[in-house]
Amino acid sequence: MLVDYAVRTQCGVQCSVGWVKVRTKSAIMSSVPLKGIPETFAGADVFITGGSGFMGKVLIEKLIRSCPDVGQVFVLVRPRRGKSPEERIAELVKVPLFDKVREMHPENIQKIVPICGDCSELKLGLDEESLKRMENVQFVFHAAASVRFDDPLEKAILLNTRGTREVIHWATTLKSLKAVVHISTTYSNPEIFEIEERIYPAKMDWRKAIEMAENVDSEVFQTMSQKLTGFAPNTYTFTKGLAEQICNDYHKELPIVVFRPSVVTNTEEEPVHGWIDNFNGPVGLLVGMGIGLMRTGYVNLNNRINCIPADVSIKAMIIAAWKKANEGPGQLTVINSAAEVHKTADYNFLIYDARYVYYKHPMSQVLWAPGGTHAPCKYVYYLLFFLYQVVPSMFLDMALKARGKKPFLLKLQRKVFDAQMSLKYFTDNEWVFKTDNFRNLAHDLLESDRETFSIAYMCLGMQEYYRRCILGGRRYLMRESDDTIPAAKEKLKRLLMINKIAKGLFFALLAYILYKTVYVPYFA
């Protein structure tokens, strides 16, 4: 079905309810009132997988704050030794992300209902009691996935691909279902550098992939992984691409949206500026450079990284679910939640232009003065990585050990190196994402929802956004309050002075060695 939305006014007064004309290929069937987003979600039960992840938390918070009359929000949580599902949810909502909803609608925290299960298990690991409790679910958001690039193919298939199949199989039993939103990634077809909002041809039959993951010996399967994936850059993007094929196969039975965010970063505006709970994406780079841990890299400085703020992507996701609820099944909706090119930053900006932020809001836990040098080729990168990161970490680890503390920097540098290598395909290349469906979401909103669910982004410019990213990393990742900034500035001044002295001594020593080994023997 095709749906045209129009907000109607009467007697010069704007109505809070618009109208939707539902068409088939043959004729217009009817005109029915179109409710706003909060009204559509009022009384509706919601099921969320991946609720304990970054995007899942932002989604839960936005739903219970901006759709205050929403029904129960069922969150799938894996069983964890020593913690009940209720304790895990209580821990989840303690973060500052939920401060605003605690002020506005504290009672809505109780609407979050933990459901014990696991997306990597058949039938999601759900018991009969849980299935009974959720039989009236109207909206499903499937966000659970392993985002590790180095996961074994078997594990990635069972969670990212089979998990999607299990969610969709369960969704077919829901009598009141209005929308299923599958959270994918714009990089689900990374070998294509201009990504449209459509499903691309399958690289492998998803049924066969699941069958092999379930039955083939793990070691044998792993040896076959490169050939099976067509030498994909990682198992994450490959298995997310397979999951999209499942959605495509079921779109005539279910009202499905494939929602593809690009690199999801700190919240821009709500509920707080700069909230983040992981080091993935640019924030890891910015924090790593800000504390002096990362001092060299090997990337194409002119390449752009496509980032979308988490709050913007989540609002778009909710709009997409609302829109699909009014359309029904029959046509698969694919949305690339990605930034327009003029709102993306290149690596030159992130590595060099953003340095001013480190000095304006330095980290209290800074290890060395921020700085370093970009490597023009991989061999220079290996050398600089050893000199700038490995050698200093060795000395700092020895100092820690001498003081009776546990050394950790060399191990951390190993992780930094592995992360840079795993991201090499993505830093070496650049993608263009078509975003017509994403941008049209804003046009489809009713007037009453335009402020609460605005998907405008980078409104204050990139420099201000990334300043908030650094502050968010400082506050929420490094656990440093803003009142420690003055002391951090003083510490940074000392480290800058030490850095200058160390550089002077290094070059003086180098000149002395050259003088003794080259100049003196030559003129002797």
Side-chain angles (χ1 to χ4, degrees), residues 10-21:
Q10 283 185 322
C11 305
V13 180
Q14 193 165 40
C15 301
S16 61
V17 178
W19 295 83
V20 56
K21 291 182 179 179

Side-chain angles (χ1 to χ4, degrees), residues 289-502:
M289 292 189 297
I291 64 174
L293 181 69
M294 295 178 63
R295 307 190 64 77
T296 188
Y298 176 38
V299 297
N300 185 333
L301 294 176
N302 296 318
N303 278 355
R304 293 178 173 272
I305 179 170
N306 195 298
C307 298
I308 194 76
D311 51 335
V312 173
S313 208
I314 290 301
K315 285 184 283 188
M317 195 184 300
I318 295 172
I319 298 169
W322 165 78
K323 187 176 177 182
K324 178 55 70 173
N326 289 289
E327 291 177 349
Q331 183 174 348
L332 181 65
T333 302
V334 180
I335 296 172
N336 289 339
S337 177
E340 295 166 282
V341 175
H342 67 281
K343 292 187 178 182
T344 59
D346 58 29
Y347 287 101
N348 188 73
F349 173 85
L350 292 174
I351 292 172
Y352 293 111
D353 297 349
R355 278 185 180 178
Y356 82 97
V357 182
Y358 310 147
Y359 297 98
K360 191 173 182 179
H361 307 296
M363 309 280 179
S364 297
Q365 300 172 60
V366 61
L367 301 168
W368 198 257
T373 304
H374 172 257
C377 69
K378 65 179 180 179
Y379 300 109
V380 175
Y381 168 68
Y382 296 150
L383 176 64
L384 293 178
F385 187 87
F386 178 76
L387 293 176
Y388 285 2
Q389 296 185 206
V390 174
V391 173
S393 294
M394 288 172 59
F395 285 110
L396 287 170
D397 270 354
M398 285 191 291
L400 288 170
K401 199 169 183 179
R403 295 174 61 184
K405 295 183 179 180
K406 186 178 180 180
F408 67 94
L409 286 169
L410 272 178
K411 187 181 291 186
L412 190 56
Q413 289 293 1
R414 178 67 192 182
K415 291 182 179 180
V416 169
F417 181 82
D418 289 343
Q420 290 190 346
M421 291 299 101
S422 68
L423 290 169
K424 198 75 182 71
Y425 181 85
F426 299 93
T427 55
D428 280 351
N429 294 295
E430 194 173 35
W431 286 261
V432 174
F433 302 112
K434 302 298 184 181
T435 58
D436 290 346
N437 292 344
F438 176 60
R439 287 183 283 110
N440 285 338
L441 291 174
H443 303 148
D444 295 329
L445 284 172
L446 301 186
E447 193 65 34
S448 57
D449 291 333
R450 291 192 182 278
E451 182 177 350
T452 307
F453 292 93
S454 169
I455 57 172
Y457 59 97
M458 303 290 181
C459 299
L460 299 178
M462 276 196 301
Q463 286 208 347
E464 175 59 20
Y465 175 70
Y466 283 103
R467 184 188 73 84
R468 292 180 178 184
C469 279
I470 285 286
L471 272 175
R474 195 180 192 282
R475 292 167 180 163
Y476 308 117
L477 297 178
M478 305 302 288
R479 305 285 195 272
E480 297 176 3
S481 61
D482 290 357
D483 56 17
T484 63
I485 291 177
K489 285 183 176 180
E490 292 301 316
K491 181 180 180 180
L492 182 59
K493 286 180 183 178
R494 294 193 298 270
L495 288 173
L496 286 169
M497 181 61 68
I498 293 170
N499 187 51
K500 288 180 180 179
I501 293 171

Side-chain angles (χ1 to χ4, degrees), residues 83-144:
K83 282 188 180 179
S84 67
E86 290 75 18
E87 288 173 330
R88 291 194 64 192
I89 293 296
E91 189 178 79
L92 182 148
V93 299
K94 281 181 181 178
V95 297
L97 178 73
F98 287 86
D99 286 349
K100 193 169 184 178
V101 77
R102 271 189 285 270
E103 294 174 10
M104 296 174 61
H105 305 289
E107 70 285 356
N108 277 9
I109 298 289
Q110 304 304 316
K111 292 186 176 183
I112 306 172
V113 180
I115 296 293
C116 192
D118 189 338
C119 279
S120 64
E121 299 291 334
L122 291 172
K123 296 184 179 180
L124 305 176
L126 298 172
D127 57 28
E128 290 301 322
E129 182 184 350
S130 296
L131 292 170
K132 181 70 176 175
R133 292 179 72 184
M134 298 191 297
E135 63 184 6
N136 294 318
V137 162
Q138 296 182 33
F139 293 93
V140 175
F141 293 90
H142 177 42

